[in-house]
Amino acid sequence: MGHTGAVWCVDADWDTKHVLTGSADNSCRLWDCETGKQLALLKTNSAVRTCGFDFGGNIIMFSTDKQMGYQCFVSFFDLRDPSQIDSNEPYMKIPCNDSKITSAVWGPLGECIIAGHESGELNQYSAKSGEVLVNVKEHSRQINDIQLSRDMTMFVTASKDNTAKLFDSTTLEHQKTFRTERPVNSAALSPNYDHVVLGGGQEAMDVTTTSTRIGKFEARFFHLAFEEEFGRVKGHFGPINSVAFHPDGKSYSSGGEDGYVRIHYFDPQYFEFEFEA
Amino acid sequence: MQDAENVAAPEAAEERAEPAQQQPAAEPPGEEPRPGAPGAQEAADGEDEEAEAGPGPEVPVEPAADGEEAAGATPGPSPPPPEEPASPAAAPAEDEDDAPGEQARDAAAEARSDGAGGVQGGPAEDAGAAENGDADEPSFSDPEDFVDDVSEEELLGDVLKDRPQEADGIDSVIVVDNVPQVGPDRLEKLKNVIHKIFSKFGKITNDFYPEEEGKTKGYIFLEYASPAHALDAVKNADGYKLDKQHTFRVNLFTDFDKYMTISDEWDIPEKQPFKDLGNLRYWLEEAECRDQYSVIFESGDRTSIFWNDVKDPVSIEERARWTETYVRWSPKGTYLATFHQRGIALWGGEKFKQIQRFSHQGVQLIDFSPCERYLVTFSPLMDTQDDPQAIIIWDTLTGQKKRGFHCESSAHWPIFKWSHDGKFFARMTLDTLSIYETPSMGLLDKKSLKISGIKDFSWSPGGNIIAFWVPEDKDIPARVTLMQLPSRQEIRVRNLFNVVDCKLHWQKNGDYLCVKVDRTPKGTQGVVTNFEIFRMREKQVPVDVVEMKEPIIAFAWEPNGSKFAVLHGETPRISVSFYHVKSNGKIELIKMFDKQQANTIFWSPQGQFVVLAGLRSMNGALAFVDTSDCTVMNIAEHYMASDVEWDPTGRYVVTSVSWWSHKVDNAYWLWTFQGRLLQKNNKDRFCQLLWRPRPPTLLSQDQIKQIRKDLKKYSKIFEQKDRLSQSKASKELVERRRTMMEDFRKYRKMAQELYMEQKNERLELRGGVDTDELDSNVDDWEEETIEFFVTEEIIPLGSQE
């Protein structure tokens, strides 16, 4: 029981009743969070890269990889209509012929999704009509991660082009850029401070040939408004694949290619620190 | 028309002769070089006794004038032109029988002597053929009044096509001057000698020795079977030394024609418009005395020029694909040279406009003369046997090619080494040292130096002295020689024994020469290194020696001083030693630091300060040393650094990780000379940083001394300036942050307003539950403590089987 391939994405709905997972075994599954019971199995033609519940928890979306001759698609199911699940017929399927989706989240109020592409492009797709509402290209390489702020009004992207950028969720207007010397795999916004944490490092395939020193597997903290770095946390000996703040903003955690998940609590100085301005 | 041309040919030869005959009268001999004889003045000087013959101008006249009379009897020096009209017509008849051919030729000769051309030649031949024909056969001769209405072109088009051209013969004729003048008794002997020399280049089909009063005139005409042979003879026999008095001058006969047509009047060359390039040294007038540097990045796609500034580099110019490989500054900083498949381009002035181009296909390496006047370029593509183009020397001001050279396969760049003033340049080949002079680009004193076994040489940067060394040869010891130029006087020779290798290191002013000698002394094992220090500024050039038993990693002179630094030992036990050459010649060890992580020494261009760097494999360790009191000012690291570059003033140092040697973290860092890190400049695929050199100072020694004396006064002013700019910088930073914060707040306010507007929709979507704040539903929270019981069971793996 369960997935038979790598699980690429997980999402829970707002009241944590259901969990959605997408996997390289060419399926997306819906689970009951409390009991762990599989509620739905949606078969796909290729690996499921991203998945998510909308704001109200009624609609799910997932995107598939461009793989084995199949296109990249974003599929939308309305959970309130069980026939869609039973027949594995999404109410909408958006094809992405140009560049596959590497990361995607729901926009505010569940009206659209925001997708990051392999090319570095960002698209806002309507969840009703499927049309592209906004298209921007601020990154030059693949977008590895998109994370929304707590109030969902803005989001931060992490890209292979060594930067993370801040955008407005509604207009997709570019706000800020945070530069590093290594590919950024994940970036998260603090829920209560104007801070952003970036995780990344030398790509996993190159790591064996270089020392951890050159890999720069550090979590790096930037000020959101000034774009200036003010802190680093060392510890991982492989690239960081994922970072997240605790909802209370008093700690953060990071998961690395080295197989460790590290949970760090901030020192009192972190809360006192202020830029001279 | 064709016929008319044929007729015209011999006449043209005569016509040409006429002005030639007039020429000697028109101008005094010797005022202008003899036509067709490059460097003929020399030849004329050597032949004073012949002066009354009216040198030069007569020579070309001779064959043409003689040609007429010679055509019938003696074979002329240029027989083809007079024969031409007849021969094509004669050819077909010759095929049938010898006799008609002969007759036809006779007829042709007749026609020729009449000054007749092809029109007459045709019928004459017809007649010949007819005469020869069988008497029984009907006569095919034309009636007397027959008018030929078929053109020869139609009739004999295919044959006419192969008709010899006038040029065929003339191009194969050469004129040899400075041939001994002999009487008939020795003529045969002379002919033999000439034949021996000149038949090397091809078959001689004709020769002509003009005579006067029973003696030959001292110049001769030779005709080869083909023009290529004639060219070969000119190339190789010109300047041939027959004996002391006679050096041949060999020229193509056609060249005489060419030079003959040169106008007597000297045309004033058209004035070239002056191209104002602006002030090429504008950057030296910068108020802050900042320096410039070039940066290549994006793996060579982009090149930028910056002002170096303590705060941030200030971009002056940035261009995509400015160069195809790398760039070079000229030694005084005037030009920036860029490399292209088709050649080199020089840029300069305030806007970095193109100043000069040198077309050299496939150019790979360049070198400027120290004075910037000449540029040496190397390309492996273009060389051919007769046209040396592997190395080309150019004039940077005019863009003209000065000379081409061949390149030996084993040579090291720079192949040509320049003297400090750019007056001479030299190159080494097997057993030979060739020194050339500017601006003629010719060999100094017209010959190279034979130095058997020469291994290496080097110019003094402080005078026209060359140092070279030759290794041991059986019983002859190895030798280091210092030679003054252009006198070629040996000012110092030092013999050395058991030598394995030598390296020549000049101090930048030419005050000292250090010859690093690796030796294997008898009775010891392993290599010992001697530093032989030549004091160039003293009488007899005294030499002192420092011996070291450890392997030597690097050696470097203090540029403006009398100290030198040596890195020695083996990893991980590397030491650096600083020596001082005292005025009495004693060489004193000032200080030794052990356990160094270094493989290269970088002295400040002003001396005193030095950076010891462990580049590449040594991870980029850096030590900043002040050698006045030998203190280590700072130890630092630029991980994986591949290059260290001092600015030309010795105020800053740049360390960099080049994409050419390492693929990640490509950046250049700016340090003060004391080792304080000022900037980290990350550039995508950064390749190369080069400081723009400065020309030598125009201040006199006294003025420099005065400035040193007043340094305290100046430092106060500068310190104040620095403080001002620093506080300004921090103010600017705070100001910038403030505006950034304000903008950000504005944006957040807007976003939050929208967020608040949507509150009802959110509540609706989540069934009336407010999730906006983390603790908005704190009443619903329930705290639960859950305990897990973990049972541990140990199962030995072996028992499972």
Side-chain angles (χ1 to χ4, degrees):
Chain A
M1 148 142 192
H3 283 293
T4 53
V7 178
W8 285 122
C9 51
V10 185
D11 193 36
D13 56 3
W14 70 277
D15 52 1
T16 332
K17 284 205 174 82
H18 300 125
V19 169
L20 190 65
T21 56
S23 161
D25 68 359
N26 296 355
S27 73
C28 187
R29 297 173 199 227
L30 184 70
W31 313 82
D32 183 291
C33 195
E34 203 174 350
T35 61
K37 207 179 133 204
Q38 182 176 305
L39 302 175
L41 167 62
L42 300 163
K43 288 215 164 124
T44 57
N45 288 323
S46 53
V48 178
R49 182 60 54 173
T50 64
C51 65
F53 287 98
D54 78 332
F55 188 81
N58 293 322
I59 299 171
I60 60 162
M61 71 81 188
F62 61 83
S63 78
T64 53
D65 273 358
K66 187 176 180 173
Q67 207 178 37
M68 303 179 293
Y70 293 102
Q71 273 300 334
C72 165
F73 284 104
V74 200
S75 307
F76 293 82
F77 290 83
D78 194 328
L79 300 179
R80 292 166 294 194
D81 176 6
S83 67
Q84 288 181 17
I85 299 280
D86 296 341
S87 60
N88 199 1
E89 277 296 326
Y91 76 82
M92 186 166 68
K93 206 170 171 184
I94 312 171
C96 303
N97 298 339
D98 301 336
S99 177
K100 78 161 185 180
I101 291 173
T102 48
S103 182
V105 292
W106 277 94
L109 303 178
E111 284 165 348
C112 60
I113 64 156
I114 298 156
H117 295 256
E118 202 172 20
S119 61
E121 269 175 293
L122 276 174
N123 275 317
Q124 198 183 57
Y125 295 101
S126 160
K128 294 187 174 73
S129 66
E131 66 182 320
V132 177
L133 301 171
V134 193
N135 168 282
V136 290
K137 188 168 182 200
E138 293 287 341
H139 284 292
S140 59
R141 300 183 70 184
Q142 179 176 317
I143 294 171
N144 287 322
D145 187 29
I146 300 177
Q147 291 197 32
L148 289 156
S149 64
R150 214 193 106 67
D151 61 10
M152 297 176 89
T153 55
M154 54 184 182
F155 64 92
V156 65
T157 54
S159 165
K160 212 173 166 178
D161 69 5
N162 298 3
T163 65
K165 287 175 194 252
L166 186 73
F167 294 87
D168 182 77
S169 309
T170 314
T171 61
L172 253 56
E173 227 168 83
H174 172 232
Q175 304 290 335
K176 299 284 172 187
T177 301
F178 313 99
R179 289 169 217 281
T180 75
E181 306 83 46
R182 292 291 180 277
V184 187
N185 293 333
S186 183
L189 294 160
S190 162
N192 41 10
Y193 285 86
D194 287 333
H195 294 167
V196 58
V197 61
L198 274 56
Q202 192 77 16
E203 276 182 65
M205 55 189 292
D206 300 334
V207 165
T208 45
T209 59
T210 48
S211 66
T212 56
R213 192 167 159 202
I214 208 160
K216 304 216 167 143
F217 312 125
E218 297 145 337
R220 305 168 69 156
F221 288 80
F222 285 76
H223 191 279
L224 213 50
F226 307 141
E227 304 176 327
E228 283 177 70
E229 185 180 343
F230 64 92
R232 275 184 204 198
V233 178
K234 281 185 194 168
H236 281 288
F237 50 89
I240 296 173
N241 287 328
S242 175
V243 286
F245 271 97
H246 189 283
D248 66 9
K250 287 175 187 162
S251 64
Y252 85 98
S253 63
S254 56
E257 191 73 18
D258 56 7
Y260 284 86
V261 173
R262 302 177 67 92
I263 302 167
H264 291 267
Y265 286 86
F266 295 118
D267 296 329
Q269 293 99 299
Y270 169 85
F271 304 106
E272 287 157 17
F273 176 78
E274 254 183 58
F275 276 92
E276 190 190 343
Chain B
M1 272 329 284
Q2 195 70 31
D3 293 335
E5 247 179 66
N6 287 344
V7 180
E11 271 169 19
E14 275 176 51
E15 263 167 28
R16 267 199 304 274
E18 262 167 342
Q21 264 165 335
Q22 282 159 5
Q23 212 161 3
E27 62 179 312
E31 178 142 342
E32 192 142 274
R34 283 160 64 181
Q41 228 111 13
E42 271 172 62
D45 292 345
E47 263 187 340
D48 279 341
E49 70 268 31
E50 215 210 6
E52 99 290 330
E58 208 186 353
V59 176
V61 177
E62 204 63 43
D66 279 356
E68 211 181 355
E69 55 165 294
T74 33
S78 56
E83 235 173 44
E84 190 184 58
S87 49
E94 221 165 344
D95 280 345
E96 278 178 28
D97 200 325
D98 269 346
E102 236 175 271
Q103 280 187 1
R105 208 174 295 154
D106 284 349
E110 228 172 277
R112 195 192 309 132
S113 58
D114 290 340
V119 182
Q120 279 93 345
E125 179 259 331
D126 282 347
E131 252 171 54
N132 185 52
D134 205 320
D136 294 357
E137 290 203 4
S139 168
F140 291 102
S141 300
D142 294 320
E144 283 294 304
D145 56 347
F146 174 79
V147 181
D148 195 355
D149 58 350
V150 187
S151 76
E152 271 180 32
E153 192 80 322
E154 245 172 272
L155 219 56
L156 303 157
D158 51 334
V159 184
L160 278 171
K161 214 167 60 196
D162 296 333
R163 164 187 52 160
Q165 300 290 311
E166 179 193 12
D168 277 356
I170 285 195
D171 283 343
S172 311
V173 179
I174 58 166
V175 184
V176 186
D177 279 292
N178 297 348
V179 180
Q181 291 178 279
V182 294
D185 49 328
R186 288 171 62 210
L187 184 61
E188 210 43 46
K189 201 177 165 198
L190 176 68
K191 281 190 175 183
N192 275 339
V193 171
I194 294 289
H195 194 78
K196 216 169 162 185
I197 296 165
F198 284 91
S199 57
K200 273 190 290 202
F201 311 112
K203 194 178 167 231
I204 298 171
T205 56
N206 234 329
D207 60 1
F208 177 58
Y209 292 71
E211 281 172 41
E212 195 175 58
E213 291 162 12
K215 269 183 111 182
T216 57
K217 280 187 170 179
Y219 52 85
I220 59 164
F221 302 89
L222 299 175
E223 187 192 353
Y224 283 101
S226 94
H229 299 161
L231 266 174
D232 210 19
V234 169
K235 203 158 205 166
N236 294 294
D238 187 36
Y240 182 89
K241 234 178 164 162
L242 186 67
D243 55 43
K244 260 198 182 142
Q245 274 86 40
H246 299 95
T247 304
F248 290 161
R249 302 299 322 208
V250 184
N251 290 289
L252 283 179
F253 178 60
T254 46
D255 275 356
F256 282 85
D257 264 352
K258 198 166 80 193
Y259 289 103
M260 204 77 77
T261 55
I262 289 172
S263 162
D264 295 346
E265 297 290 319
W266 177 67
D267 288 328
I268 299 166
E270 205 179 314
K271 202 169 178 182
Q272 299 288 315
F274 172 66
K275 213 171 129 201
D276 188 3
L277 297 166
N279 182 2
L280 293 182
R281 293 197 167 168
Y282 78 100
W283 91 99
L284 299 170
E285 293 172 352
E286 212 257 339
E288 303 286 314
C289 270
R290 294 184 296 189
D291 279 287
Q292 293 188 351
Y293 56 76
S294 66
V295 173
I296 301 177
F297 57 106
E298 286 182 13
S299 67
D301 279 354
R302 297 194 83 83
T303 304
S304 279
I305 314 285
F306 290 100
W307 284 113
N308 175 38
D309 194 280
V310 187
K311 279 176 272 166
D312 276 307
V314 181
S315 176
I316 305 163
E317 192 73 40
E318 181 172 322
R319 289 182 202 171
R321 286 170 294 283
W322 200 348
T323 180
E324 282 168 32
T325 48
Y326 58 105
V327 298
R328 282 278 308 268
W329 291 99
S330 64
K332 290 178 177 177
T334 314
Y335 309 110
L336 178 75
T338 54
F339 288 69
H340 309 271
Q341 179 55 33
R342 286 160 58 190
I344 297 292
L346 295 190
W347 312 78
E350 255 176 275
K351 297 269 179 281
F352 284 94
K353 282 196 187 125
Q354 197 178 80
I355 289 174
Q356 205 63 263
R357 271 189 321 192
F358 308 98
S359 168
H360 198 181
Q361 199 72 32
V363 61
Q364 283 186 348
L365 299 162
I366 64 167
D367 189 31
F368 282 95
S369 70
C371 55
E372 294 187 342
R373 182 65 201 270
Y374 304 106
L375 175 72
V376 189
T377 60
F378 165 76
S379 161
L381 296 183
M382 297 268 290
D383 218 14
T384 52
Q385 189 80 45
D386 342 308
D387 189 15
Q389 291 213 43
I391 302 166
I392 298 178
I393 301 190
W394 309 84
D395 187 322
T396 48
L397 292 183
T398 63
Q400 263 169 353
K401 177 181 168 179
K402 299 292 283 184
R403 190 170 169 180
F405 289 93
H406 288 298
C407 177
E408 295 198 353
S409 53
S410 62
H412 288 279
W413 192 258
I415 289 167
F416 288 103
K417 295 182 188 171
W418 289 87
S419 68
H420 73 111
D421 52 5
K423 280 202 176 121
F424 304 104
F425 56 101
R427 94 146 151 197
M428 192 181 76
T429 43
L430 185 68
D431 295 334
T432 312
L433 181 63
S434 306
I435 301 164
Y436 301 83
E437 55 187 345
T438 58
S440 73
M441 304 291 150
L443 266 177
L444 179 67
D445 299 334
K446 299 204 165 38
K447 58 172 188 271
S448 299
L449 282 151
K450 281 274 163 232
I451 303 164
S452 56
I454 183 169
K455 280 281 269 203
D456 195 15
F457 77 99
S458 173
W459 287 93
S460 160
N464 284 333
I465 295 169
I466 272 190
F468 62 85
W469 78 281
V470 288
E472 266 163 298
D473 184 19
K474 284 175 207 135
D475 295 335
I476 309 163
R479 205 167 73 242
V480 175
T481 308
L482 296 174
M483 181 185 280
Q484 188 90 47
L485 283 153
S487 66
R488 302 194 180 195
Q489 188 198 345
E490 292 188 351
I491 52 175
R492 188 73 160 87
V493 177
R494 187 161 168 87
N495 291 331
L496 301 162
F497 300 91
N498 311 311
V499 171
V500 183
D501 193 20
C502 283
K503 285 267 164 350
L504 307 164
H505 298 275
W506 285 96
Q507 187 249 20
K508 206 183 100 196
N509 294 343
D511 295 344
Y512 306 99
L513 167 68
C514 168
V515 182
K516 174 183 161 263
V517 189
D518 293 334
R519 301 171 59 229
T520 45
K522 281 190 184 108
T524 60
Q525 285 194 332
V527 177
V528 175
T529 302
N530 281 10
F531 294 103
E532 311 256 340
I533 311 291
F534 293 65
R535 274 173 283 148
M536 300 299 298
R537 302 294 180 206
E538 287 172 49
K539 253 190 203 158
Q540 314 275 308
V541 190
V543 179
D544 289 278
V545 182
V546 178
E547 191 185 272
M548 276 200 179
K549 295 214 160 68
E550 284 188 310
I552 305 299
I553 299 160
F555 170 97
W557 280 105
E558 182 182 19
N560 291 335
S562 47
K563 291 195 273 270
F564 62 85
V566 184
L567 277 173
H568 50 93
E570 269 168 294
T571 14
R573 303 177 125 199
I574 292 170
S575 309
V576 62
S577 294
F578 294 101
Y579 288 89
H580 180 225
V581 184
K582 289 170 134 185
S583 48
N584 63 4
K586 284 269 175 316
I587 298 166
E588 185 188 59
L589 175 68
I590 327 173
K591 184 94 181 181
M592 190 182 95
F593 295 108
D594 55 4
K595 293 188 199 130
Q596 292 296 303
Q597 261 212 312
N599 48 25
T600 339
I601 304 164
F602 295 96
W603 281 94
S604 154
Q606 301 299 327
Q608 186 177 347
F609 303 102
V610 68
V611 174
L612 304 170
L615 298 180
R616 295 186 180 87
S617 57
M618 281 184 160
N619 290 348
L622 304 166
F624 295 78
V625 183
D626 179 353
T627 61
S628 66
D629 51 2
C630 277
T631 49
V632 178
M633 298 179 293
N634 194 20
I635 298 272
E637 186 192 72
H638 184 177
Y639 192 61
M640 293 317 274
S642 57
D643 298 274
V644 173
E645 295 274 348
W646 279 92
D647 86 318
T649 62
R651 294 176 291 180
Y652 303 100
V653 194
V654 161
T655 59
S656 55
V657 181
S658 167
W659 183 78
W660 290 333
S661 71
H662 197 75
K663 297 295 180 228
V664 287
D665 285 324
N666 301 126
Y668 66 94
W669 292 4
L670 183 76
W671 311 73
T672 66
F673 68 97
Q674 293 152 312
R676 187 158 58 86
L677 184 61
L678 296 174
Q679 294 167 17
K680 290 181 179 180
N681 293 297
N682 296 317
K683 279 237 171 254
D684 183 26
R685 284 161 290 153
F686 161 88
C687 298
Q688 183 199 42
L689 180 143
L690 289 178
W691 290 93
R692 185 173 201 171
R694 283 171 177 267
T697 176
L698 298 173
L699 298 172
S700 69
Q701 282 303 317
D702 287 343
Q703 284 170 310
I704 294 172
K705 229 180 236 169
Q706 192 58 41
I707 291 170
R708 288 231 164 110
K709 232 171 92 186
D710 297 341
L711 219 52
K712 277 228 170 80
K713 192 176 83 193
Y714 292 124
S715 70
K716 258 186 204 149
I717 301 170
F718 287 133
E719 266 167 31
Q720 201 172 0
K721 255 190 178 173
D722 283 353
R723 261 200 304 277
L724 219 78
S725 86
Q726 239 162 34
S727 73
K728 201 175 136 204
S730 63
K731 239 187 231 156
E732 273 171 11
L733 178 71
V734 169
E735 193 52 44
R736 200 170 65 224
R737 280 185 187 154
R738 198 167 288 159
T739 50
M740 280 177 111
M741 198 61 199
E742 255 167 48
D743 290 350
F744 189 66
R745 285 218 177 103
K746 243 183 252 165
Y747 159 67
R748 287 306 298 152
K749 208 175 146 214
M750 233 170 57
Q752 252 138 17
E753 272 167 17
L754 183 70
Y755 180 67
M756 293 317 289
E757 276 171 30
Q758 292 168 341
K759 179 147 189 141
N760 286 335
E761 292 169 57
R762 278 199 298 280
L763 283 170
E764 202 180 309
L765 279 166
R766 290 194 171 165
V769 183
D770 185 355
T771 51
D772 285 1
E773 299 298 327
L774 190 61
D775 46 8
S776 26
N777 311 308
V778 80
D779 302 341
D780 300 349
W781 288 12
E782 266 175 60
E783 204 169 285
E784 246 183 89
T785 313
I786 301 164
E787 270 181 81
F788 289 99
F789 296 99
V790 182
T791 46
E792 197 177 323
E793 198 183 343
I794 299 171
I795 308 163
L797 279 170
S799 66
Q800 278 187 323
E801 286 179 280

